[in-house]
Amino acid sequence: MAELDRRYAQSTPVGRTDAGVIDQGLRAYMIRVYNYMASGVAITRVVAYLVYAMSVVTGADGATTGLTPFGNFMFASAFKWVVIFAPLALVFFISARINSMSLGAVQISFWVFAALMGLSLGSIFLVYAHASIARVFFITAASFGALGLYGYTT
């Protein structure tokens, strides 16, 4: 309290900034956040599709006919439980250590989390049609974009 700036009470422009400067800073910050999230979703998608592609045997007509040894390991063994719960375990680890982690460690943890989510979500390609997965992805992306724009402007 001893360091209180008394000029504030005299209605001088100390501590005040132009609204345009704040808006540009907020815009740059939000773009950076959205770019990180978009790259995380892209990593998740690529890993999920690669896990699926390496896990299935397709016939001449393009239909899935069975699982490869890697697919059996990933989806038909007890290792599937490790794959399912690995993202949750990483979330607990990150939340417990976030205050003591460096920026680089947090970024690496985010990329590892995105890859683990892709590993975990690779099995949805076995169950649902690719067109259905794409449709749901684009509906979710459009909803996120609309809600993000609404939150940014209000």
Side-chain angles (χ1 to χ4, degrees), residues 85-98 113 116-117:
F85 289 113
L88 181 63
L90 189 60
V91 165
F92 287 144
F93 173 78
I94 292 171
S95 66
R97 303 263 311 161
I98 193 73
F113 174 76
L116 283 175
M117 282 302 296

Side-chain angles (χ1 to χ4, degrees), residues 45 124-125 128-141:
R45 185 232 178 254
I124 67 168
F125 288 97
Y128 299 104
H130 295 228
S132 176
I133 295 170
R135 185 179 312 121
V136 169
F137 174 77
F138 287 117
I139 290 170
T140 304

Side-chain angles (χ1 to χ4, degrees), residues 3-145:
E3 300 296 324
L4 179 63
D5 189 357
R6 301 207 183 275
R7 292 176 292 175
Y8 178 77
Q10 298 170 354
S11 70
T12 57
V14 172
R16 295 184 187 171
T17 57
D18 188 20
V21 173
I22 293 173
D23 191 46
Q24 287 175 344
L26 177 62
R27 183 176 186 278
Y29 175 77
M30 294 303 291
I31 286 174
R32 198 167 53 245
V33 168
Y34 284 124
N35 285 340
Y36 274 120
M37 294 307 293
S39 60
V41 169
I43 288 172
T44 300
R45 185 232 178 254
V46 167
V47 170
Y49 188 76
L50 287 176
V51 166
Y52 165 74
M54 293 176 5
S55 298
V56 297
V57 176
T58 56
D61 60 350
T64 301
T65 59
L67 292 175
T68 64
F70 177 73
N72 282 323
F73 176 68
M74 290 295 294
F75 305 124
S77 70
F79 186 71
K80 70 180 175 186
W81 296 107
V82 174
V83 171
I84 290 170
F85 289 113
L88 181 63
L90 189 60
V91 165
F92 287 144
F93 173 78
I94 292 171
S95 66
R97 303 263 311 161
I98 193 73
N99 292 329
S100 62
M101 294 172 79
S102 67
L103 177 61
V106 170
Q107 287 177 335
I108 290 171
S109 299
F110 175 71
W111 303 131
V112 170
F113 174 76
L116 283 175
M117 282 302 296
L119 196 67
S120 181
L121 293 174
S123 63
I124 67 168
F125 288 97
L126 297 172
V127 179
Y128 299 104
H130 295 228
S132 176
I133 295 170
R135 185 179 312 121
V136 169
F137 174 77
F138 287 117
I139 290 170
T140 304
S143 299
F144 176 77

